[in-house]
Amino acid sequence: MEQEQKESSLSVLKDLIPLFAVEIVLLTLMNFANLTVVYRYMAIVLMIIAMLVIGKSLPRNKRSIPFLLQVVGLILFELVSVLAGWRKMNDFILIVSVVLGSLAFLALGVYYGFSKEKNLDFSKIISAIYASVGIYTLICLIATIYGMGQPFYSITFALSSSRRDLMDHARILIGFQTDLRDNGVEILGNFALLASTGVVVSLFTNRKENPFLFYASLLGGLMGLATLILIPVVIGLALFIIILCLALIIKFANVKKKKLYIIICSSFVGVLMILYAIFRIDVHIHPELYTNVNKVVFAFFMQNFGVASRFTSIKDILTLLPNVKFVGLAFKDRFIGSGSILLDILVQSGILPFIGFMIVIVVGVIECIKFIKKSDNIALKIAVSLFIFVYLIELIFNNVGFSIIEDFIFLGTLLLMGYCTGYNLKSEQQID
């Protein structure tokens, strides 16, 4: 009798996870009302329930090593980074939410991947991710266009001699209100590129079989694409076009010619990137040769966003005084960023958090590749892998504005990595 009561209570608890997981993901990645701390605590409650449900089922052998490595790496990265800023933060509630909240999103992903419950549809989580990032991006776009009084304001920045007046009126809603001076355009461009990949996900989603994922990813993707165009962000648009072309080749090209088409497309893109790099370098060496170029065209190609704008910061960040370097990523103060999350973590938090972060990322990427090979659901494979890899590319090559601990998109990425890990665990268990 007592055993039946426990099973009944456990069954009720299990029903709470799919009931609230989608809402938590939606609110978190939309950064609704800037209450990420609250959403992290809600996720912690679901993590406790999830671990009660699957804790006994997780294998006690080497197959659990990837999950354990992710947990250890995440604790090492976030706990040391947060404690490094303890004196300045002095906020125990926030510290707990940061460390356990990240673990909660990872654990929820593992639960969805590992569980055999029929009512757990991970495509709804993916739908919530793309819809929320798309909506958030669109809200930020509207806010900045309202502040600037016009679209295409990144070109206006490049042409205007009175940037101070423009920045005073243009606000962007990124966790807190900040003006465009604080890398606002770059941050919004990163969000927009992530959201725009939803268009690609919709190409591989059957509208009749999974209408929720189809419409959520399509609408979120279109919001992101509209943002890339209306800012505009040249590098983001170029990356979106590359991703879209590769997706179209994978979907529609003849099987025998797919590799050839991909090689041709990649070569063409590579040549364009080299030519653009030469152009940017030549502008700095021989500026007098470009005085007669149309100002709007020149501003479009010379936007000071992305990797090109970050190189000058690397020398500054490497020559900071020691008492400034190891302050920890949890500080609320803004900091000089190198443009790469790897160098930022190494310089600001030290070697241990860097090792922890690398463990999480490397294991997550390996598990994602294994998931791509094992899963038969093409829509989920495209959605999970695209979001993870595009986000990591942004972190490594164009990390701006947020520290990684503040970044609510990082929580969604952890959830996706956790799903890959849980799915692979389940697959290996079924083989036995």
Side-chain angles (χ1 to χ4, degrees):
M1 186 69 177
E2 186 177 344
Q3 182 66 24
E4 290 180 358
Q5 287 179 341
K6 287 183 178 180
E7 291 179 0
S8 177
S9 300
L10 197 60
S11 178
V12 172
L13 289 175
K14 285 194 294 186
D15 292 338
L16 293 176
I17 295 176
L19 186 63
F20 291 108
V22 173
E23 287 82 355
I24 290 173
V25 171
L26 189 65
L27 292 170
T28 302
L29 274 78
M30 199 191 303
N31 198 25
F32 183 74
N34 195 23
L35 293 174
T36 310
V37 173
V38 176
Y39 308 142
R40 283 193 181 114
Y41 272 105
M42 292 168 66
I44 291 169
V45 175
L46 288 191
M47 174 185 68
I48 295 170
I49 297 172
M51 288 297 98
L52 287 174
V53 175
I54 67 170
K56 295 181 179 179
S57 304
L58 286 171
R60 306 294 196 275
N61 53 37
K62 63 180 182 180
R63 290 176 181 170
S64 295
I65 289 177
F67 176 50
L68 295 176
L69 281 174
Q70 287 175 311
V71 170
V72 172
L74 199 55
I75 292 174
L76 184 63
F77 161 56
E78 297 211 329
L79 187 61
V80 176
S81 292
V82 171
L83 289 179
W86 172 275
R87 286 180 301 173
K88 198 154 189 176
M89 287 182 66
N90 198 26
D91 190 338
F92 180 76
I93 293 177
L94 178 60
I95 290 172
V96 171
S97 79
V98 165
V99 179
L100 293 186
S102 297
L103 288 173
F105 276 85
L106 177 69
L108 276 178
V110 171
Y111 177 77
Y112 265 84
F114 185 75
S115 178
K116 298 175 184 178
E117 297 289 330
K118 293 182 179 179
N119 63 337
L120 290 179
D121 184 1
F122 195 67
S123 66
K124 291 182 179 178
I125 298 290
I126 295 288
S127 303
I129 289 175
Y130 274 104
S132 54
V133 176
I135 291 169
Y136 184 71
T137 301
L138 184 64
I139 292 172
C140 290
L141 175 67
I142 293 170
T144 52
I145 288 179
Y146 176 78
M148 295 292 291
Q150 65 174 63
F152 311 115
Y153 50 81
S154 65
I155 295 177
T156 305
F157 266 127
L159 293 173
S160 175
S161 59
S162 58
R163 292 191 179 189
R164 180 67 260 173
D165 293 335
L166 293 175
M167 289 186 292
D168 284 341
H169 292 88
R171 299 287 168 177
I172 186 169
L173 311 175
I174 303 289
F176 51 89
Q177 279 205 341
T178 181
D179 60 32
L180 297 183
R181 173 184 53 184
D182 296 323
N183 302 314
V185 174
E186 292 180 86
I187 300 172
L188 183 51
N190 281 354
F191 282 134
L193 178 60
L194 266 178
S196 69
T197 59
V199 173
V200 176
V201 175
S202 67
L203 286 175
F204 292 88
T205 305
N206 189 309
R207 185 177 61 180
K208 293 182 179 179
E209 292 180 2
N210 201 336
F212 197 60
L213 178 59
F214 177 83
Y215 288 112
S217 60
L218 179 60
L219 292 175
L222 290 176
M223 291 175 189
L225 182 57
T227 304
L228 289 176
I229 294 171
L230 293 173
I231 293 179
V233 178
V234 178
I235 295 177
L237 277 171
L239 287 173
F240 171 77
I241 292 170
I242 293 168
I243 293 169
L244 182 63
C245 289
L246 291 175
L248 291 173
I249 289 172
I250 293 171
K251 184 172 178 65
F252 297 111
N254 183 289
V255 176
K256 294 181 179 179
K257 295 183 178 180
K258 276 184 181 180
K259 288 186 178 180
L260 176 62
Y261 290 149
I262 291 174
I263 291 172
I264 293 172
C265 181
S266 301
S267 301
F268 178 70
V269 170
V271 170
L272 287 180
M273 290 177 67
I274 292 171
L275 290 175
Y276 181 68
I278 293 172
F279 164 71
R280 292 293 296 259
I281 294 170
D282 194 52
V283 168
H284 289 286
I285 297 175
H286 304 109
E288 69 279 359
L289 299 178
Y290 300 89
T291 54
N292 295 324
V293 177
N294 181 279
K295 289 186 177 181
V296 175
V297 174
F298 193 73
F300 184 81
F301 284 106
M302 290 299 294
Q303 294 175 95
N304 194 30
F305 310 135
V307 179
S309 68
R310 316 302 293 174
F311 288 147
T312 54
S313 300
I314 293 178
K315 181 181 177 182
D316 295 332
I317 195 170
L318 288 176
T319 54
L320 290 174
L321 295 174
N323 64 336
V324 178
K325 280 186 178 180
F326 301 99
V327 295
L329 291 174
F331 274 0
K332 296 189 183 280
D333 293 353
R334 298 298 90 197
F335 52 83
I336 299 174
S338 66
S340 173
I341 189 64
L342 303 182
L343 188 56
D344 286 349
I345 291 173
L346 189 60
V347 171
Q348 293 176 68
S349 294
I351 189 66
L352 288 180
F354 176 80
I355 292 172
F357 182 79
M358 289 303 298
I359 290 172
V360 174
I361 297 306
V362 171
V363 174
V365 169
I366 292 172
E367 291 301 302
C368 181
I369 293 171
K370 287 165 62 178
F371 164 72
I372 293 171
K373 292 179 180 178
K374 292 178 180 180
S375 175
D376 295 325
N377 191 324
I378 184 66
L380 277 188
K381 286 199 291 188
I382 294 293
V384 170
S385 59
L386 254 186
F387 199 92
I388 289 175
F389 287 116
V390 170
Y391 180 68
L392 291 182
I393 288 171
E394 290 178 345
L395 281 183
I396 294 171
F397 296 105
N398 191 34
N399 179 50
V400 290
F402 276 154
S403 70
I404 190 69
I405 284 177
E406 295 172 305
D407 193 348
F408 45 89
I409 303 294
F410 183 58
L411 297 176
T413 307
L414 285 175
L415 190 147
L416 296 179
M417 289 181 174
Y419 175 77
C420 294
T421 303
Y423 185 93
N424 295 332
L425 271 173
K426 182 173 66 175
S427 300
E428 292 169 358
Q429 197 175 61
Q430 288 174 343
I431 292 175
D432 293 341

